[in-house]
């Protein structure tokens, strides 16, 4: 209503009724105006209190809120929680896309939104009810990170708050979101970064990363031959939703046939495009991968192109011949790879994925092994993840899989010394290279995790080098660019051994991806989201000396 003063009986804006208009006077004996229905005696006020009335909320926003709740309460991953929720609740199409962006975007940009919300409330954020804080984050993302009309972002979030947190919380959410809506994103970014002591901290705040991760990323950029100036672009890439990339597993389905399945067998506006680097990669848009027959049957899967690329490069490096037992020193030839005795055999038939769960790399390796007449052993320490590996290998020919076993990878080198021609160590890590795909990881990890993980990584790599035969190849892979998890782990392990040589991983990657792929002038390889469009995968290739 306008703020103009009116006298009783004066004409109302919008064609209100007066004494001589149809409908008669809407004012009661106390001079209060009544609605048209109540003036006719047809209106009836609800007997329920506002907090007890029927609460109808948007299903997509409800799902996004439930994802945030599940991620917070059970340390679940959003990419595992959201898809089944959408299916169970029958949310598809645009609503599913909205729920996905709302949930993932809120998780990615939580740090940015918390900095903004903290300037709109009268208490520290740790004194705000966690459920209400999640609601504020959802509302802030709609206002500042999505193309949602301001009134809809506020009113729908307030309605969700009323339904899920109560009327009092809804009033609080309404007041805070209205404060947030008074400024643009650009204005808010200036506000929240004004007091940052340095550029790295400023980028961490505005690009929603913990400061320690931003600093580690900067060190990793410099340490792998890139400029520190890349940091802003890298952090921004971490906040960009990744493309869905399929892997066409060799010998099971070709990339062309997989693209044809999408075109012919999937309804809607689904499209595909070849990956940039891996010959097995197919970028998918506009479809649920589970709707594609080859994915359902295991001939294809969902796998980041960087993950595909390092796996293919590892499998492409030739092993050296197996050297028969050599004469004792001074009695004959030496045991170098360049001076092999007659009859040296070069088997490449027994491969090991030391940390195989959940099975993406294992399935790609197994399909490659099947084409080459080799077989794979997939080892996984966690039984439930071993079952996922078995599912991932379901379409692979049986003679390409020796077994899936549950065991501690740190023991394999002792239990089966020199038993394998190739060993892949896809080591457990912080996952800092996949923050765009698992946005909640940035808020869970702490600097203290590094020491625990790097100890495990060193032990696993040492075990792999013991498990591979002389002349065989070990691939050390992490989905983290953190220097402590990559270069320093390798350096520490090699410092205690004289039977290992470092291979040119960059040459192996170029053999797969082509010479155009931008790589630093190093023997190891570090991929980057902002450069390669992949997760930040690291690859070091090693050979046990013959």
């Amino acid at each position: 209503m306008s703020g103009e003063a009116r006298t009783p009986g004066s004409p109302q804006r919008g064609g209100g009724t007066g004494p001589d208009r149809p409908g008669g006077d809407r004012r009661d004996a106390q001079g209060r105006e009544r609605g048209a229905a109540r003036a006719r005696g047809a209106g009836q006020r609800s007997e329920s209190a506002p907090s007890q009335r029927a609460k109808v909320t948007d299903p997509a926003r409800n799902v996004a809120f439930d994802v945030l709740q599940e991620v917070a309460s059970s340390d679940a991953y959003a990419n595992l929680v959201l898809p089944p929720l959408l299916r169970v609740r029958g949310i598809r199409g645009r609503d599913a896309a909205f729920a996905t962006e709302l949930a993932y975007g809120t998780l990615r940009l939580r740090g940015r939104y918390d900095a903004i919300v903290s300037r709109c409330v009268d208490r520290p954020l740790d004194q705000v009810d966690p459920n209400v804080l999640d609601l504020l984050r959802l509302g802030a993302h709609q206002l500042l990170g999505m193309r949602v009309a301001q009134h809809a972002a506020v009113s729908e979030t307030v309605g969700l708050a009323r339904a899920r947190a109560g009327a009092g919380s809804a009033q609080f959410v309404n007041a805070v979101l209205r404060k947030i809506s008074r400024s643009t994103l650009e204005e808010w970014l200036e506000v929240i970064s004004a007091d940052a002591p340095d550029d790295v901290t400023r980028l961490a705040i505005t690009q929603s990363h913990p400061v320690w991760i931003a600093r580690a990323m900067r060190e990793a950029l410099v340490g792998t031959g890139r400029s520190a100036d890349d940091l802003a672009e890298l952090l921004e890439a971490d906040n960009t939703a990744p493309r869905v990339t399929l892997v066409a597993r060799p010998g099971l389905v070709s990339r062309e046939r997989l693209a044809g399945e999408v075109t012919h067998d999937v309804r809607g506006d689904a499209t595909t495009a070849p990956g940039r680097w891996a010959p097995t990669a197919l970028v998918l848009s506009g479809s649920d991968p589970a709707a594609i027959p080859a994915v359902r049957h295991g001939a294809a899967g969902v796998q980041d192109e960087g993950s595909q690329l390092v796996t293919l490069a590892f499998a492409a490096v030739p092993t050296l011949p197996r050297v028969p037992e050599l004469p004792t020193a001074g009695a004959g030839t030496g045991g170098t790879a360049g001076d092999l005795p007659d009859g040296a055999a070069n088997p490449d038939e027994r491969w090991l994925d030391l940390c195989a769960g959940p099975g993406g790399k294992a399935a790609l390796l197994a399909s490659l092994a099947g084409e080459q007449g080799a077989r794979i052993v997939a080892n996984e320490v966690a039984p439930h993840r071993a079952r996922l590996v078995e599912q991932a290998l379901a379409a692979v020919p049986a003679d390409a899989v020796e077994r899936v076993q549950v065991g501690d990878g740190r023991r394999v080198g002792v239990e089966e010394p020199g038993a394998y021609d190739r060993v892949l160590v896809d080591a457990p890590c912080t996952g800092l290279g996949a923050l765009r795909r698992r946005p909640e990881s940035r808020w869970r990890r702490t600097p203290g995790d590094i020491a625990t993980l790097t100890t495990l990584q060193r032990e696993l790599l040492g075990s792999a080098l013991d498990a591979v035969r002389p002349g065989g190849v070990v691939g050390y892979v992490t989905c983290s660019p953190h220097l402590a998890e990559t270069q320093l782990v390798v350096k520490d392990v090699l410092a205690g051994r004289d039977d290992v040589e470092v291979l040119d991983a960059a040459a192996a990657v170029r053999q797969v991806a082509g010479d155009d792929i931008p790589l630093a002038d190093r023997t190891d390889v570090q991929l980057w989201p902002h450069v390669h469009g992949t997760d930040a995968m690291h690859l070091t290739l090693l050979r046990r000396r013959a």
Side-chain angles (χ1 to χ4, degrees):
M1 297 284 285
S2 165
E4 298 176 49
R6 293 193 306 272
T7 57
S10 64
Q12 306 300 303
R13 302 184 71 182
T17 56
D20 54 354
R21 292 180 182 238
D25 192 357
R26 288 186 181 173
R27 296 187 180 275
D28 60 16
Q30 286 74 39
R32 294 174 299 198
E33 188 173 5
R34 298 171 294 174
R38 293 189 66 206
R40 295 193 304 269
Q44 183 174 356
R45 187 181 298 273
S46 169
E47 295 179 359
S48 303
S51 61
Q52 297 173 325
R53 295 174 192 166
K55 301 165 183 175
V56 180
T57 56
D58 173 52
R61 289 178 172 86
N62 251 310
V63 163
F65 180 68
D66 287 337
V67 169
L68 266 58
Q69 296 285 285
E70 188 69 18
V71 166
S73 64
S74 62
D75 281 346
Y77 287 105
N79 66 329
L80 301 180
V81 172
L82 179 59
L85 273 179
L86 294 175
R87 285 195 296 271
V88 167
R89 300 186 189 182
I91 299 174
R92 302 179 181 87
R94 289 186 176 183
D95 286 343
F98 182 89
T100 300
E101 168 54 29
L102 182 53
Y104 279 40
T106 301
L107 287 168
R108 287 188 189 99
L109 297 172
R110 192 185 91 175
R112 174 189 293 177
Y113 297 141
D114 282 2
I116 293 171
V117 169
S118 69
R119 286 161 172 79
C120 298
V121 298
D122 58 357
R123 69 200 77 166
L125 291 190
D126 60 6
Q127 295 181 19
V128 177
D129 180 88
N131 292 343
V132 173
L133 186 54
D134 275 342
L135 290 162
L136 291 172
R137 292 164 176 159
L138 288 171
H141 187 54
Q142 293 170 69
L143 287 168
L144 303 176
M146 298 177 71
R147 289 177 293 183
V148 178
Q150 188 178 106
H151 67 89
V154 174
S155 63
E156 290 289 346
T157 307
V158 170
L160 182 62
R162 182 175 296 109
R164 305 297 296 270
S169 294
Q171 292 176 354
F172 178 72
V173 168
N174 180 59
V176 174
L177 292 184
R178 290 191 180 280
K179 288 181 182 178
I180 293 174
S181 69
R182 291 172 190 155
S183 300
T184 65
L185 174 60
E186 291 71 24
E187 291 168 338
W188 275 119
L189 293 180
E190 289 185 12
V191 169
I192 63 176
S193 63
D195 298 328
D198 52 61
D199 285 344
V200 175
T201 303
R202 176 182 59 80
L203 285 171
I205 293 170
T206 58
Q207 294 298 333
S208 193
H209 284 66
V211 175
W212 76 270
I213 290 180
R215 295 196 187 284
M217 292 294 192
R218 184 183 185 278
E219 292 173 0
L221 286 165
V222 174
T224 56
R226 298 202 65 84
S227 170
D229 294 338
D230 278 16
L231 181 60
E233 194 176 353
L234 170 58
L235 299 186
E236 185 176 359
D238 276 350
N239 292 330
T240 302
R243 304 174 300 175
V244 175
T245 305
L246 305 178
V247 55
R249 291 164 180 158
L252 304 182
V253 66
S254 68
R255 186 164 66 176
E256 293 70 26
R257 179 174 176 179
L258 180 58
E261 284 194 7
V262 174
T263 302
H264 298 296
D265 297 335
V266 178
R267 296 180 181 177
D269 56 352
T271 61
T272 61
R276 292 172 64 189
W277 314 116
T280 52
L282 191 70
V283 179
L284 175 69
S285 62
S287 175
D288 177 2
I292 302 169
V295 174
R296 291 201 307 269
H297 301 146
V302 177
Q303 186 175 7
D304 175 73
E305 188 172 11
S307 175
Q308 296 180 46
L309 183 55
V310 297
T311 305
L312 294 170
F314 160 72
V317 177
T319 60
L320 293 181
R322 185 190 299 274
V323 182
E325 185 174 346
L326 298 175
T328 58
T333 62
T336 66
D339 186 19
L340 295 170
D342 294 338
N346 185 24
D348 188 12
E349 58 191 19
R350 195 161 188 252
W351 302 359
L352 171 65
D353 188 345
L354 191 65
C355 311
K361 293 182 182 69
L364 180 53
L365 275 180
S367 65
L368 293 168
E371 286 195 316
Q372 299 177 30
R375 63 191 188 278
I376 188 172
V377 173
N379 180 81
E380 170 55 44
V381 69
H384 72 281
R385 286 170 64 87
R387 289 192 290 272
L388 295 177
V389 175
E390 292 174 343
Q391 295 170 15
L393 296 174
V396 177
D399 57 1
V401 180
E402 182 174 322
R403 66 179 181 273
V404 176
Q405 66 185 28
V406 176
D408 187 340
R410 295 171 293 184
R411 298 290 305 162
V412 174
V414 174
E415 296 168 354
E416 296 184 88
Y420 296 93
D421 301 298
R422 296 180 187 273
V423 181
L424 178 67
V425 186
D426 183 18
C429 65
T430 56
L432 299 184
L435 295 183
R436 61 194 189 132
R437 197 175 306 281
R438 288 191 164 177
E440 59 283 305
S441 292
R442 70 186 75 182
W443 311 118
R444 291 179 180 170
R445 290 299 185 187
T446 69
D449 295 331
I450 300 295
T452 301
L453 285 166
T454 53
T455 298
L456 174 61
Q457 290 157 2
R458 287 191 294 268
E459 292 172 345
L460 289 168
L461 180 54
S463 176
L465 290 168
D466 290 336
V468 76
R469 67 166 176 84
V473 176
V474 170
Y476 177 71
V477 172
T478 66
C479 189
S480 169
H482 199 298
L483 295 179
E485 299 186 88
T486 56
Q487 295 178 25
L488 296 182
V489 164
V490 174
K491 181 180 179 181
D492 287 348
V493 172
L494 297 190
R497 308 185 68 117
D498 58 4
D499 60 342
V500 180
E501 62 178 319
V502 179
L503 302 179
D504 191 345
V509 168
R510 288 192 178 98
Q511 181 181 343
V512 174
D515 292 336
D516 292 338
I517 186 169
L519 299 175
D521 186 18
R522 299 179 53 85
T523 55
D524 60 2
V525 168
Q526 182 61 60
L527 303 176
W528 295 102
H530 68 296
V531 177
H532 305 98
T534 68
D535 289 348
M537 304 295 300
H538 170 88
L539 173 66
T540 293
L541 293 175
L542 306 169
R543 178 178 283 132
R544 179 97 174 267
R545 286 196 178 98

